[in-house]
Amino acid sequence: MRGAEPSIDHFGFGSPSMKTLRTAVMLLGALTLSGPLLASPLHDHAAHASLDGTQVQVPSVRWKVDAPLQDGMGRIHQALEELRHYEMGHMSEAMAQDRAGLILEAGAYIFAHCKLEPQQDAVLHDMLVPLLAAAQKLKEHPQDMSEVAAMRKAVVNYPRYFDDPGWDANAASSHAAHDEH
């Protein structure tokens, strides 16, 4: 067949082992669209410390949020609340995909604009990376309702660490307990 282009599967991106890589590449692509802000010397996301699975103790006084973090997380919170309608069968797949897209956009906004101390930044990133991966998966496969629960699980501890008036720590805990059932 002359001029036939190889399919994505030809390069292995359709295999289960490569789906994680594809998601990471897409997330990095979205973040790249944020431009020079990511390379700012004020906040180099590529060089921040990773927690590598170690749990940071919840601070006795929750960390203050700046306006960009509050805005982005507020949009994420709103989209997650709206996805409850999808879980109950009251929202179309297209609308759920739209909400997943809103979460991805809000995450990219946070990465581009947040200005946190290194430990706070690492805690936030350890929440956002699985959140955005699950949002991308829901956008690609809206019939997989488990991704909505995965998104909520990713951010369940946000109100325990961050003093964000848009997130109620008690409500988040009760939603997480409900999602586990």
Side-chain angles (χ1 to χ4, degrees):
M1 218 171 156
R2 188 170 104 73
E5 301 258 343
S7 70
I8 289 176
D9 287 335
H10 175 78
F11 293 106
F13 283 104
S15 69
S17 63
M18 294 302 289
K19 287 187 180 185
T20 302
L21 175 61
R22 182 178 61 168
T23 300
V25 169
M26 285 200 243
L27 289 173
L28 288 174
L31 295 176
T32 302
L33 295 176
S34 299
L37 290 173
L38 292 177
S40 167
L42 295 174
H43 192 85
D44 183 0
H45 285 274
H48 78 79
S50 173
L51 295 179
D52 297 327
T54 59
Q55 182 70 24
V56 172
Q57 185 174 357
V58 176
S60 57
V61 176
R62 294 183 299 159
W63 299 321
K64 297 289 181 196
V65 296
D66 62 8
L69 180 57
Q70 186 174 356
D71 176 48
M73 290 303 291
R75 289 187 278 152
I76 288 168
H77 189 271
Q78 180 67 35
L80 286 172
E81 285 301 310
E82 290 174 7
L83 282 169
R84 290 193 186 286
H85 296 285
Y86 183 58
E87 292 171 303
M88 293 183 279
H90 301 264
M91 178 185 281
S92 70
E93 283 186 358
M95 290 177 74
Q97 289 172 307
D98 178 63
R99 297 320 181 272
L102 294 173
I103 290 169
L104 291 168
E105 289 171 12
Y109 174 81
I110 291 168
F111 278 124
H113 295 92
C114 75
K115 293 176 179 76
L116 299 172
E117 295 299 319
Q119 186 179 38
Q120 297 166 2
D121 187 57
V123 167
L124 181 65
H125 281 241
D126 281 355
M127 292 176 196
L128 290 179
V129 169
L131 169 77
L132 298 177
Q136 183 63 44
K137 288 177 187 174
L138 181 67
K139 193 169 182 174
E140 293 171 359
H141 305 286
Q143 65 281 3
D144 188 356
M145 294 282 193
S146 68
E147 297 305 335
V148 179
M151 285 188 276
R152 281 199 195 92
K153 182 179 179 186
V155 295
V156 71
N157 285 322
Y158 175 75
R160 295 181 67 213
Y161 286 91
F162 294 93
D163 185 14
D164 187 332
W167 288 69
D168 178 11
N170 295 327
S173 296
S174 67
H175 285 317
H178 173 71
D179 289 340
E180 291 176 4
H181 293 265

